[in-house]
Amino acid sequence: MARSRVLQCPSPASLVGVLAVVYVVAVIFGGVNGELLIGVGSYDMTGPAADVNMMGYANMDQNTAGVHFRLRARAFVVAESPQGARFAFVNLDAGMASQLVTIRVIERLQSRYGNLYTEDNVAISGTHTHAGPGGYLQYLLYSITSLGFVPQSFDAIVTAIEMSIAQAHESLKPGSIFVNVGDVENAGINRSPSAYLLNPAEERARYGRDVDTEMTLLKFVDGESRKSIGAFSWFATHGTSMSRNNKLISGDNKGAAARFFEDWFASSTTNSTASSPNTSTSEKDNGNLLEKASNIKATGGQPCKKTTSEGFKVRKNDGSLFVGAFCQSNVGDVSPNVLGAFCTDSGLPCDFNHSSCHGDDTLCVGRGPGYPDEVLSTRIIGEKQFKRAVELFTSVEEELTGKIDCRHVHLNFTDLEVDLNGKVVKTCPAALGPGFAAGTTDGPGMFGFQQGDTEINKLWKKLRDLLKEPSEYQVDCQKPKAILLDSGEMFEPYAWSPAILPIQMLRLGRLIILSVPGEFTTMAGRRLREAVKETLISEGNGEFDNTTQVIIAGLTNTYSQYVATIEEYGQQRYEAASTLYGPHTLSAYIQEFKKLAKAMAKGENLPQKGPSPPDLSSVQLSLLPDPSGDSPPPGIDFGDMKEDISVPKSGSFRKGDKASATFWSPNPRYDLLTEGTFAVLEMLQGERWVPAYDDDDFSLFFKWKLDNSSLYGLATLEWEVPEEASSGIYRLRHFGSSRKTDKSPIKYFTGASSAFAVS
């Protein structure tokens, strides 16, 4: 007699075991239910906070002198399987990418992971903050004001990129990516509107505005926990809310947006603010609070360890933190100084065509929404991006699915043939026009130049020719640009401008990211996006359609200044004068990106990778001396107070007040305190001091200078009491490092101010 089989439901324990096995298998061989593998990472890339010229404004007087908030590299990695198709995208709180940085990062990644990561599938993109240390690009033109190459700047950036990608790679797990799109209002205006108006009227009529207002956001969700792990967004506005006179390291408006977003996410998931802990010390008896604070005196300087400050960080980078990044796009002519440009002498609007004031370009300056407070302007423009990102993040519904793919090629942009409907033209060796020297309304340049200049006076021609007189071919090739600096034909002591540039396409389902090594103007970016999309649709055999979304990641993998349309090139405002490779630069980009798009649409490899860019590390000049040694004044220790907290007459600080203290402190270049902090605001909870804010917070400032009378170093910590700060007892703490001579070991110290009350 046959025995019957009884079907039983598995026990909870066995079910969990089966699910665990399924999950592990899914991780090994690919995603769950077709999910991709996703990972995010972040790492501190704050460079030297003293003496180093900032990258962006080319202002010789703008040398770092402290930290407003730290700079970070934020990365995501997406992969089809552990050994399958993938790409890594890194967003840098830096002015731009650097070819030499890219070369070193790829070398380091390949030493870790073999050929999983190459120049084909790694994109390194700058936010274009103008408030980060320079000296990390290999071409001479971009390191003149930094007195050449600055190894400390370079190493900080390379290490941060490597570590952020490694963190993302090591955390790869099945997950989902969602996409959402929306407009950001009043976060950018066109700073060269007269040039934009030269584009064809019928083309302009297709767009409502002379800047792109669209933000594209990706949301990364863990496939197992269904918790969000990160978000990356792209939106075009310049990193020039902080002015050319600022000397504090800052991620500018995009770095601010990232800090606000990450803190918002932390507070929304823990029901507390990221930087001000819940406390029971808000005593009803304010008198007792004041008395208690008055009895807690400064600690004096004390020795500590290299890693001590890391333990005082409010946000400890253990790999579990949510990563929120605000990436750059076709930003060429987009300014965050949305009130417009005005003459500093009269207060009247600047000249429309030249952005000057009765012929003087240095008097025409853009105003941010917080004018005249540049920190407030940074906050406002950062908050506009952050708040829109939150709306897109919380309302997103559409999931990205499909292939991961990439295409990459190097091109010699100094001699590209471009087919314009049967007529063959060429790009030119790099050159800059006089409009470049005029600067922009975000950062005026030299007196004697105006945007739109197409002629150079005899004196400047003679000075130019002392460096390099342009060839007849170059003069003709660059017209109507007059050549002020023939950088593409200058090779002493080494190349002044890049010749070989990378272009790259990344695919994530129906989303296409175009990695461009420069700053495309609004209309130039629109033309490139449309050309790529049209090519994908026409060549893709139904795989691409009108829902395909193309975005531009600006300032990626290397830097080659601006790209204007041929019509804008004719007026020779700043962006056109800085379009290095002549009037057909944009047409060359469009032609070559269409080749990448066709190859991607057809699933074909590119026939050639192109010439490799040079590695110029061995010929770099470094003229900035390292700090040679510091000692405190006699009878003083580093970390001792120079000026202690000055308590208001009311006895306590209130929201909006500023508390500050000054410590004897050596040059902060001895150790960058990476993933640590120079400044901490501590809050007393019971008998224990707890970090509430550090130098990665928008409200806490670290400022360093030499004392004018004694030439000893001083560090001033300033805390602008924010609205969300809890009532209680606080103190300021400083961390630093020193060495007596350039051969002495580095020693570390800390010191805290007297306590004060916030009511």
Side-chain angles (χ1 to χ4, degrees):
M1 181 173 157
R3 300 178 60 185
S4 63
R5 298 182 60 190
V6 179
L7 300 179
Q8 294 181 332
C9 294
S11 68
S14 63
L15 182 60
V16 169
V18 170
L19 290 176
V21 171
V22 170
Y23 188 78
V24 170
V25 171
V27 171
I28 294 174
F29 293 103
V32 177
N33 294 328
E35 289 178 318
L36 299 169
L37 300 180
I38 62 172
V40 297
S42 174
Y43 201 79
D44 184 2
M45 55 168 277
T46 310
D51 306 331
V52 176
N53 192 253
M54 289 181 167
M55 182 61 201
Y57 288 116
N59 175 12
M60 290 289 293
D61 296 326
Q62 192 189 17
N63 296 330
T64 56
V67 178
H68 180 195
F69 57 95
R70 287 191 168 250
L71 310 180
R72 300 198 70 82
R74 295 173 170 92
F76 73 83
V77 173
V78 292
E80 292 181 349
S81 67
Q83 298 299 319
R86 70 186 53 225
F87 69 81
F89 187 95
V90 186
N91 188 56
L92 296 180
D93 285 336
M96 62 284 293
S98 152
Q99 183 63 69
L100 190 56
V101 165
T102 300
I103 290 171
R104 287 293 174 273
V105 167
I106 299 302
E107 289 175 352
R108 291 195 187 183
L109 291 176
Q110 292 189 341
S111 70
R112 283 175 176 261
Y113 306 116
N115 289 324
L116 271 182
Y117 298 99
T118 69
E119 62 189 13
D120 292 350
N121 65 356
V122 174
I124 302 170
S125 182
T127 63
H128 208 35
T129 175
H130 285 42
Y136 62 92
L137 289 90
Q138 70 170 353
Y139 296 104
L140 185 62
L141 181 62
Y142 310 127
S143 61
I144 292 173
T145 58
S146 62
L147 302 181
F149 189 70
V150 181
Q152 201 173 30
S153 289
F154 178 82
D155 291 341
I157 293 172
V158 171
T159 298
I161 299 169
E162 176 195 9
M163 296 303 292
S164 67
I165 293 176
Q167 197 177 87
H169 175 89
E170 301 300 334
S171 66
L172 279 172
K173 62 185 71 174
S176 302
I177 303 174
F178 296 85
V179 62
N180 206 354
V181 176
D183 290 321
V184 183
E185 298 295 338
N186 302 316
I189 61 170
N190 196 304
R191 69 185 186 187
S192 292
S194 61
Y196 178 86
L197 289 174
L198 296 176
N199 293 305
E202 61 273 17
E203 182 180 35
R204 288 185 281 113
R206 290 162 39 206
Y207 305 97
R209 303 182 184 181
D210 58 3
V211 294
D212 286 336
T213 59
E214 190 171 88
M215 171 183 281
T216 300
L217 178 135
L218 299 182
K219 178 178 181 178
F220 297 82
V221 179
D222 185 314
E224 182 181 23
S225 68
R226 303 314 297 169
K227 292 181 179 179
S228 300
I229 61 172
F232 281 64
S233 62
W234 288 262
F235 170 75
T237 194
H238 249 80
T240 49
S241 292
M242 298 298 289
S243 75
R244 69 193 302 272
N245 299 315
N246 162 64
K247 295 186 177 183
L248 299 182
I249 290 174
S250 165
D252 209 276
N253 58 68
K254 287 190 176 292
R259 170 53 50 238
F260 300 154
F261 195 101
E262 290 173 346
D263 286 352
W264 164 83
F265 184 85
S267 65
S268 66
T269 55
T270 60
N271 296 317
S272 66
T273 64
S275 52
S276 185
N278 289 332
T279 175
S280 58
T281 59
S282 54
E283 305 172 22
K284 294 181 180 180
D285 188 346
N286 194 48
N288 290 341
L289 190 71
L290 301 182
E291 182 180 358
K292 188 172 184 178
S294 66
N295 290 325
I296 302 174
K297 304 303 182 183
T299 64
Q302 302 168 335
C304 66
K305 297 180 180 179
K306 175 181 174 64
T307 58
T308 300
S309 75
E310 297 176 25
F312 284 75
K313 289 285 288 184
V314 174
R315 310 160 189 83
K316 294 178 175 61
N317 187 13
D318 58 3
S320 66
L321 295 177
F322 177 90
V323 177
F326 289 75
C327 311
Q328 197 53 271
S329 192
N330 51 319
V331 68
D333 51 3
V334 187
S335 169
N337 296 309
V338 293
L339 298 185
F342 295 86
C343 298
T344 56
D345 58 347
S346 67
L348 296 174
C350 303
D351 170 78
F352 182 74
N353 287 317
H354 301 283
S355 293
S356 63
C357 302
H358 29 269
D360 187 346
D361 66 293
T362 65
L363 298 177
C364 178
V365 180
R367 295 179 180 177
Y371 174 83
D373 186 340
E374 61 186 324
V375 173
L376 179 58
S377 291
T378 301
R379 174 184 286 277
I380 292 172
I381 298 298
E383 285 181 339
K384 287 180 181 294
Q385 295 173 77
F386 149 63
K387 290 179 179 178
R388 191 65 175 114
V390 168
E391 292 171 354
L392 297 175
F393 182 85
T394 54
S395 64
V396 66
E397 295 180 351
E398 182 181 351
E399 182 175 357
L400 280 177
T401 59
K403 291 182 181 178
I404 292 175
D405 203 358
C406 59
R407 294 292 184 278
H408 174 282
V409 68
H410 283 115
L411 300 163
N412 186 339
F413 254 79
T414 67
D415 191 32
L416 274 178
E417 289 189 347
V418 184
D419 187 342
L420 299 179
N421 298 320
K423 179 184 178 182
V424 177
V425 296
K426 276 192 171 186
T427 55
C428 321
L432 294 159
F436 161 77
T440 72
T441 56
D442 291 337
M446 298 174 61
F447 176 77
F449 294 94
Q450 287 192 89
Q451 294 192 63
D453 283 350
T454 54
E455 295 183 1
I456 305 171
N457 65 41
K458 291 182 179 180
L459 173 62
W460 281 108
K461 280 187 177 180
K462 289 181 179 179
L463 292 173
R464 174 201 68 188
D465 292 348
L466 288 175
L467 291 171
K468 177 67 174 68
E469 182 178 359
S471 64
E472 290 186 17
Y473 171 82
Q474 175 76 319
V475 170
D476 185 63
C477 187
Q478 290 278 352
K479 287 180 178 178
K481 180 196 294 177
I483 298 175
L484 177 66
L485 189 65
D486 188 22
S487 60
E489 295 184 319
M490 297 168 67
F491 302 99
E492 296 295 334
Y494 46 90
W496 283 56
S497 289
I500 298 168
L501 301 179
I503 62 172
Q504 181 185 54
M505 282 182 63
L506 306 173
R507 179 185 179 185
L508 178 53
R510 69 170 188 83
L511 180 74
I512 304 295
I513 301 173
L514 307 181
S515 300
V516 301
E519 305 175 56
F520 279 56
T521 63
T522 298
M523 193 62 85
R526 289 168 176 170
R527 290 183 189 176
L528 177 62
R529 291 196 305 259
E530 290 181 2
V532 167
K533 184 173 181 177
E534 290 172 1
T535 303
L536 290 170
I537 293 173
S538 64
E539 301 288 347
N541 196 27
E543 190 172 351
F544 299 92
D545 56 28
N546 285 327
T547 66
T548 299
Q549 187 173 359
V550 181
I551 59 175
I552 288 175
L555 306 119
T556 301
N557 294 331
T558 191
Y559 184 62
S560 59
Q561 296 181 245
Y562 286 75
V563 180
T565 68
I566 193 168
E567 295 85 357
E568 294 163 350
Y569 192 88
Q571 194 182 21
Q572 282 297 298
R573 286 184 62 111
Y574 177 84
E575 294 80 17
S578 305
T579 296
L580 293 182
Y581 307 104
H584 304 297
T585 301
L586 174 60
S587 296
Y589 272 106
I590 291 174
Q591 171 182 279
E592 299 304 318
F593 264 108
K594 286 172 71 174
K595 293 178 183 177
L596 266 62
K598 183 176 180 180
M600 181 175 284
K602 291 182 173 295
E604 298 173 348
N605 293 323
L606 296 168
Q608 294 180 337
K609 286 292 190 180
S612 296
D615 179 339
L616 301 178
S617 56
S618 63
V619 296
Q620 293 295 305
L621 299 177
S622 298
L623 304 180
L624 178 70
D626 292 329
S628 57
D630 276 281
S631 297
I636 299 292
D637 292 323
F638 284 131
D640 285 354
M641 302 304 307
K642 173 70 163 58
E643 296 179 10
D644 208 345
I645 296 289
S646 178
V647 179
K649 291 182 179 179
S650 64
S652 65
F653 291 88
R654 290 179 169 81
K655 311 300 169 63
D657 289 346
K658 182 181 292 184
S660 67
T662 300
F663 301 79
W664 294 105
S665 182
N667 192 307
R669 289 169 60 201
Y670 293 112
D671 193 306
L672 304 179
L673 299 186
T674 301
E675 291 293 359
T677 180
F678 292 108
V680 178
L681 184 88
E682 296 178 296
M683 185 177 190
L684 187 63
Q685 295 190 32
E687 299 301 319
R688 189 167 65 97
W689 289 100
V690 176
Y693 298 86
D694 60 32
D695 67 4
D696 208 10
D697 277 286
F698 203 81
S699 61
L700 186 59
F701 299 75
F702 161 64
K703 300 179 179 181
W704 187 86
K705 68 175 183 178
L706 287 175
D707 179 50
N708 291 332
S709 59
S710 66
L711 297 182
Y712 290 106
L714 296 172
T716 298
L717 310 189
E718 294 180 357
W719 182 47
E720 295 183 353
V721 184
E723 288 298 319
E724 69 271 13
S726 301
S727 298
I729 296 175
Y730 294 86
R731 68 181 181 185
L732 290 164
R733 176 176 290 278
H734 172 47
F735 288 93
S737 60
S738 68
R739 66 194 325 167
K740 286 188 176 181
T741 70
D742 57 0
K743 296 182 179 179
S744 302
I746 297 177
K747 296 184 177 181
Y748 297 85
F749 68 89
T750 184
S753 71
S754 297
F756 58 92
V758 172
S759 59

